[in-house]
Amino acid sequence: MKAGLVEFSWTIVFQIVNTIILFLALKKLLFKPVSEFMKSRKDDIAASIEEAKSKNEEVEKRKKEYETKLQFAEQEGREIVKEASKKAEARASQMKKEAEIESAKMIERAEEEIKRQNQKAMNELKDEMSSLAIMAAGKIIGKSLDKEKHQMLIKEFMDEVGGARW
């Protein structure tokens, strides 16, 4: 008897039973651990994705905070520069006023010194002129004056000359 392509025999039954046993064994030993591994891997990937999303959100939040702080720092820096500029201008103005006051005082002291020197020169000139006038008067009169008359002549001369403007 010639066997056809598919023939029903005990060999086929044993092959089917062996395939079922092999399937159950593989399912218990291989499919279940592989399925659990795949499920665990899938859960790990999902958890990693969620963690990455939360970290991205946190990074965005911190980025916004830093941008806000940076803007605040820039504004604060501009205010500090502005305030320093105002202080520098105020200090310059104060220094200018102090210099003007000091120069005015120096001019006033110089004018007072000039007046004192002028007065001193005038007094010396008056003393010298009175001495010369007395000497000339003494020579003209031809006699010596005593001290009392000498002082009286000087006083009279000074009264006359002192009123005149030099």
Side-chain angles (χ1 to χ4, degrees):
M1 199 174 166
K2 279 193 175 186
L5 209 49
V6 177
E7 199 177 297
F8 188 70
S9 69
W10 285 103
T11 313
I12 289 182
V13 172
F14 285 122
Q15 284 179 351
I16 291 175
V17 170
N18 281 338
T19 305
I20 292 174
I21 291 172
L22 183 62
F23 175 75
L24 292 174
L26 285 176
K27 182 178 179 187
K28 179 138 180 114
L29 295 175
L30 187 63
F31 291 151
K32 193 171 186 180
V34 168
S35 295
E36 287 176 3
F37 173 75
M38 294 298 278
K39 184 178 183 232
S40 136
R41 184 71 181 138
K42 182 181 176 185
D43 291 342
D44 287 345
I45 290 171
S48 294
I49 290 172
E50 283 300 315
E51 185 178 345
K53 284 181 182 178
S54 69
K55 285 188 178 184
N56 279 343
E57 289 173 359
E58 185 177 337
V59 166
E60 281 297 318
K61 181 181 173 185
R62 285 190 180 182
K63 181 181 175 186
K64 287 180 183 178
E65 287 176 8
Y66 289 134
E67 286 174 350
T68 304
K69 286 180 181 180
L70 182 61
Q71 289 174 350
F72 179 72
E74 287 176 356
Q75 182 180 2
E76 187 175 335
R78 283 190 293 270
E79 289 176 9
I80 288 171
V81 168
K82 190 176 182 181
E83 185 176 323
S85 177
K86 284 181 182 178
K87 285 182 180 179
E89 287 176 9
R91 180 67 179 142
S93 175
Q94 180 183 1
M95 289 175 70
K96 183 179 176 184
K97 286 179 184 176
E98 289 173 359
E100 288 174 354
I101 291 170
E102 186 63 29
S103 67
K105 286 180 182 179
M106 289 175 71
I107 289 171
E108 186 178 325
R109 284 192 298 259
E111 287 175 351
E112 288 176 8
E113 182 64 25
I114 290 170
K115 284 179 184 177
R116 275 195 301 270
Q117 291 295 329
N118 199 4
Q119 187 63 37
K120 183 179 174 185
M122 291 293 282
N123 289 340
E124 287 175 1
L125 186 61
K126 284 180 183 179
D127 287 344
E128 194 174 315
M129 285 184 67
S130 63
S131 295
L132 287 173
I134 300 267
M135 284 173 37
K139 284 189 179 187
I140 291 174
I141 295 177
K143 62 179 178 175
S144 249
L145 297 176
D146 61 8
K147 187 173 183 179
E148 204 175 285
K149 286 184 180 181
H150 180 69
Q151 290 294 331
M152 189 175 81
L153 282 173
I154 290 174
K155 186 174 183 330
E156 286 177 14
F157 179 74
M158 290 303 283
D159 288 341
E160 288 176 20
V161 173
R165 183 117 177 125
W166 292 83

